[in-house]
Amino acid sequence: MGRRILFLGPPGAGKGTQASMLARALGVPHISTGDMLRAAVAAGTDLGRRAEAIMARGDLVPDDLVVALVEERLAEPDAACGYLLDGFPRTIDQAEALDEAVGEGAIEIALLLEVPEDELVARLLNRAREQGRADDTEETIRRRLQVYREETEPLVDHYGDRVVRVDGVGTIEDVFARIVLTLARTP
Ligand code: ADP
């Protein structure tokens, strides 16, 4: 089973939840650019101040900022034996920067969590009610889905035969079991 994995999939697909469970099971760090950026916003760092309004609109933080953040994180000792990337890369330029940083082919599996669009919108609106995240308003949700289709979906071609598709509809436990089974079957 691969230990250098990335999660692909639209906002609301459940990447964060599943990535954190899988990282724990595999004993590798869960590296989420969304979490890191939200932490930077909360801490009021220079990066956080630059990212805050962009994130609240549902747009992507500039590639150079995110790439620097991830490169720094991947240089930490706990990432030496593997990692699970969640929310990165999100653009072809980010994927190319990652290839350069870790070596082309270093990523063993790109796990694509698939969920139909109306289910995504329902989940994100629900999360908005529960967590009050600044980027979960209906308008921002539409924008994030559009950005996903335009900027991130082309990564499915970039990763080609390393892409493994998993149905993301069902309970958290069902989807996790599906992911583990799928990875166990992937050479
Ligand atoms: P979701 O998966 O629900 O879209 P994330 O927590 O992954 O949420 O990301 C939230 C926001 O953080 C994104 O809409 C974007 O503004 C910013 N962001 C996260 N990762 C990246 C990235 N790799 N490149 C650019 N912006 C990012």
Side-chain angles (χ1 to χ4, degrees):
M1 192 189 287
R3 295 172 73 83
R4 286 183 301 272
I5 299 176
L6 61 86
F7 266 61
L8 283 176
K15 296 187 300 291
T17 306
Q18 298 294 336
S20 123
M21 289 164 71
L22 184 62
R24 201 166 318 128
L26 295 176
V28 297
H30 171 208
I31 301 179
S32 158
T33 45
D35 286 351
M36 288 193 284
L37 289 168
R38 277 186 290 279
V41 170
T45 63
D46 196 41
L47 169 66
R49 280 196 300 275
R50 294 169 75 176
E52 188 168 11
I54 300 172
M55 292 172 73
R57 282 202 305 271
D59 284 326
L60 293 182
V61 174
D63 288 336
D64 54 337
L65 299 182
V66 182
V67 166
L69 190 67
V70 172
E71 281 180 350
E72 215 171 279
R73 182 63 188 86
L74 288 176
E76 298 280 324
D78 66 341
C81 297
Y83 41 79
L84 212 160
L85 288 169
D86 161 17
F88 180 92
R90 250 182 167 86
T91 64
I92 291 285
D93 282 351
Q94 289 180 15
E96 285 172 354
L98 178 65
D99 285 342
E100 219 158 281
V102 299
E104 209 165 322
I107 301 297
E108 291 148 279
I109 291 171
L111 197 145
L112 175 60
L113 258 189
E114 298 185 294
V115 174
E117 177 143 345
D118 45 350
E119 166 88 10
L120 294 173
V121 175
R123 287 184 188 183
L124 291 166
L125 287 173
N126 193 42
R127 185 169 77 187
R129 279 190 294 274
E130 285 169 359
Q131 299 179 7
R133 239 175 73 168
D135 60 351
D136 279 342
T137 66
E138 181 144 16
E139 196 191 338
T140 311
I141 289 168
R142 302 259 170 230
R143 174 74 191 139
R144 281 156 64 209
L145 288 169
Q146 181 193 0
V147 168
Y148 173 77
R149 281 191 300 268
E150 288 172 3
E151 306 276 348
T152 310
E153 215 159 41
L155 293 180
V156 175
D157 281 341
H158 181 88
Y159 288 104
D161 58 9
R162 288 176 283 173
V163 172
V164 169
R165 293 170 189 267
V166 175
D167 177 7
V169 179
T171 66
I172 290 175
E173 292 73 23
D174 285 345
V175 175
F176 185 63
R178 232 174 260 153
I179 289 174
V180 171
L181 270 177
T182 306
L183 290 182
R185 281 199 219 103
T186 306

